[in-house]
Amino acid sequence: DLNRNFPDNIKSPPIGEIASSIWEMVEIFKPHVFFDLHEGWGFYKMLKDNPHEKLVGNKQFSKGSSVIATPEAAPLAQKMLDAVNSKLVSDKQKEFLLITPPVKNGLANRVSKAFGTLSIVQETTTKNQPLELRVRQQLMLLAAAFETLDIQTTDLTLDSILSEEIETCIAGRRPCLIEHPGDIEI
């Protein structure tokens, strides 16, 4: 799991070529706020009480439908949760929940430790949820954060995400006006 390859001790290098490349990019930008987008297979709210000494490969536990934040980022994460739960989650069992702190050897934790960054991992759920809904949930979480932080965007607003006319570009699916190495003809 790539997100376990960023040692808690920031003097230790990341493990592997991909993790090292990601860390080099983070060091260039030294972000004030960091968002790491993930997907889990199940709903954290339904599975959180199951045994979970190990997360990766665990068939009884998932952090899907959660926002995982450093303690300093928890108030921002709560605003994100409020937005996605009120606008895009109709089943109370599928609500997004707040988890703090992020995993010890994960990227969000390391970014926070290295730069004092507000770090957030937002995790949707694949189980019985169409890709388009998961994309909207990720965008809603980001839009709520941007609005709270007063980051101006032209196309990403809370209202635009609810619009049926929103166009999402997903690598590997057509039509997509943005070229991406993952775009292929299907």
Side-chain angles (χ1 to χ4, degrees):
D1 180 5
L2 180 59
N3 199 37
R4 302 297 181 276
N5 292 346
F6 299 91
D8 187 50
N9 179 350
I10 59 174
K11 292 181 181 178
S12 298
I15 302 164
E17 187 177 331
I18 295 172
S20 294
S21 294
I22 291 170
W23 188 248
E24 285 175 21
M25 183 65 67
V26 171
E27 285 185 309
I28 290 169
F29 287 100
K30 296 177 179 58
H32 296 281
V33 182
F34 181 79
F35 300 97
D36 193 0
L37 283 58
H38 287 239
E39 287 202 307
W41 62 266
F43 297 92
Y44 177 68
K45 186 171 187 174
M46 294 181 209
L47 301 168
K48 64 184 175 135
D49 295 326
N50 289 352
H52 55 275
E53 291 161 15
K54 102 176 182 164
L55 179 59
V56 178
N58 187 334
K59 302 291 184 203
Q60 298 179 356
F61 182 77
S62 175
K63 289 185 179 178
S65 295
S66 68
V67 176
I68 307 160
T70 54
E72 300 77 17
L76 174 60
Q78 189 60 56
K79 298 268 190 187
M80 297 164 66
L81 288 167
D82 293 345
V84 75
N85 286 334
S86 68
K87 298 179 187 309
L88 290 175
V89 178
S90 57
D91 181 343
K92 292 285 186 192
Q93 289 298 316
K94 297 179 179 179
E95 282 184 330
F96 283 69
L97 296 180
L98 176 64
I99 301 172
T100 190
V103 295
K104 185 176 178 183
N105 290 318
L107 181 57
N109 181 62
R110 185 177 175 105
V111 171
S112 176
K113 281 188 154 195
F115 307 112
T117 301
L118 295 176
S119 292
I120 293 176
V121 178
Q122 43 191 82
E123 189 150 346
T124 55
T125 299
T126 60
K127 185 176 185 176
N128 300 323
Q129 303 230 102
L131 180 59
E132 288 73 16
L133 172 62
R134 299 185 330 255
V135 169
R136 283 181 193 267
Q137 288 173 334
Q138 291 283 14
L139 292 173
M140 178 65 70
L141 291 164
L142 289 172
F146 293 168
E147 183 177 280
T148 302
L149 296 168
D150 200 27
I151 296 173
Q152 303 297 313
T153 62
T154 55
D155 296 331
L156 185 63
T157 65
L158 294 173
D159 290 334
S160 73
I161 292 161
L162 296 174
S163 166
E164 291 298 320
E165 298 170 7
I166 189 170
E167 292 183 31
T168 56
C169 178
I170 301 165
R173 293 196 175 184
R174 297 277 184 209
C176 182
L177 300 176
I178 301 171
E179 291 190 25
H180 185 281
D183 285 348
I184 56 172
E185 292 293 334
I186 298 177

